[in-house]
C-alpha cells in the first residue's frame, strides 16, 4: 500500500528537514511574530491615532502585507530546497533569497515612507526593487533546482 492509500501510514508520516531548513524555519516563525505586532501599527493608522498621509498608509499596508506573505513563502521554500540537489551559491539562493527579500521589500516600504507628512518615497525605495530582484532570482533558482533534481 502506498502512503496515499494507507490512512495509518499517512497519520504517522513525518517530514524530515535538513538542519539548515529547520534552523531557518525556526527563525522565520519567530520573525512572523514581528509581523503580527506590526499589525498593531496598522490598527492605530486605521483608528486614526497615528498621523499619516494617504501615501504613508498605503506604504504601511504594502510593507505589512509583503512581510507576511514573503515570510510564509520563505517557509515553504525551506521544504522545497531540501528536495533539490543544489549546492553552493544556488542552494543558498534557493534557501535564503526569499527570506532576505522578506526583509528588503517591506523595509523599503517602511523606510521610504518615514517622516512626518511624507507624500512620496525617499531614497530607501531602492530596497523594494532590490528585494524584488532577489525574490525573482531566488524563485527561478529554486524552480530550476526542483525541475532538474
Amino acid at each position: 500500500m502506498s502512503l496515499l492509500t494507507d490512512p495509518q501510514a499517512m497519520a504517522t508520516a513525518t517530514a524530515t528537514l535538513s538542519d539548515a531548513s529547520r534552523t531557518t524555519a525556526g527563525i522565520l516563525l519567530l520573525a512572523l511574530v514581528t509581523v503580527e505586532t506590526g499589525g498593531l501599527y496598522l490598527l492605530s493608522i486605521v483608528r486614526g491615532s497615528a498621523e499619516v498621509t494617504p501615501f504613508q498608509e498605503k506604504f504601511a499596508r504594502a510593507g505589512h502585507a509583503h512581510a507576511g506573505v514573503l515570510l510564509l513563502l520563505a517557509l515553504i521554500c525551506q521544504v522545497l530546497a531540501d528536495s533539490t540537489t543544489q549546492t553552493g551559491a544556488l542552494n543558498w539562493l534557493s534557501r535564503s533569497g526569499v527570506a532576505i527579500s522578506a526583509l528588503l521589500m517591506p523595509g523599503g516600504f517602511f523606510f521610504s515612507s518615514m517622516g512626518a507628512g511624507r507624500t512620496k518615497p525617499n531614497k530607501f525605495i531602492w530596497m523594494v526593487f532590490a528585494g524584488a530582484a532577489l525574490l525573482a532570482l531566488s524563485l527561478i533558482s529554486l524552480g530550476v533546482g526542483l525541475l532538474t533534481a
Side-chain angles (χ1 to χ4, degrees):
M1 265 190 163
S2 76
L3 182 63
L4 295 175
T5 58
D6 184 0
Q8 186 171 0
M10 278 179 43
T12 60
T14 59
T16 302
L17 296 176
S18 67
D19 288 343
S21 287
R22 189 172 49 258
T23 300
T24 304
I27 293 167
L28 292 170
L29 286 168
L30 293 173
L32 276 166
V33 175
T34 66
V35 175
E36 179 184 12
T37 57
L40 293 175
Y41 175 64
L42 281 178
L43 282 175
S44 68
I45 291 173
V46 171
R47 291 180 175 164
S49 59
E51 294 290 323
V52 297
T53 64
F55 159 74
Q56 289 172 315
E57 181 179 349
K58 289 176 187 172
F59 264 46
R61 286 176 187 248
H64 186 69
H66 279 80
V69 169
L70 291 175
L71 283 172
L72 290 175
L73 180 58
L75 276 168
I76 294 166
C77 288
Q78 300 314 299
V79 177
L80 296 175
D82 281 350
S83 298
T84 71
T85 56
Q86 292 175 316
T87 59
L90 289 177
N91 182 48
W92 180 89
L93 189 60
S94 295
R95 185 176 301 286
S96 302
V98 175
I100 293 171
S101 62
L103 296 171
L104 283 171
M105 291 179 77
F109 284 115
F110 296 131
F111 292 133
S112 70
S113 64
M114 284 180 143
R118 183 166 293 283
T119 58
K120 62 181 182 176
N122 65 26
K123 64 183 177 183
F124 286 108
I125 194 69
W126 70 265
M127 294 173 70
V128 174
F129 295 107
L134 180 59
L135 176 63
L137 290 173
S138 301
L139 293 175
I140 290 168
S141 174
L142 182 55
V144 170
L146 288 166
L147 292 172
T148 59

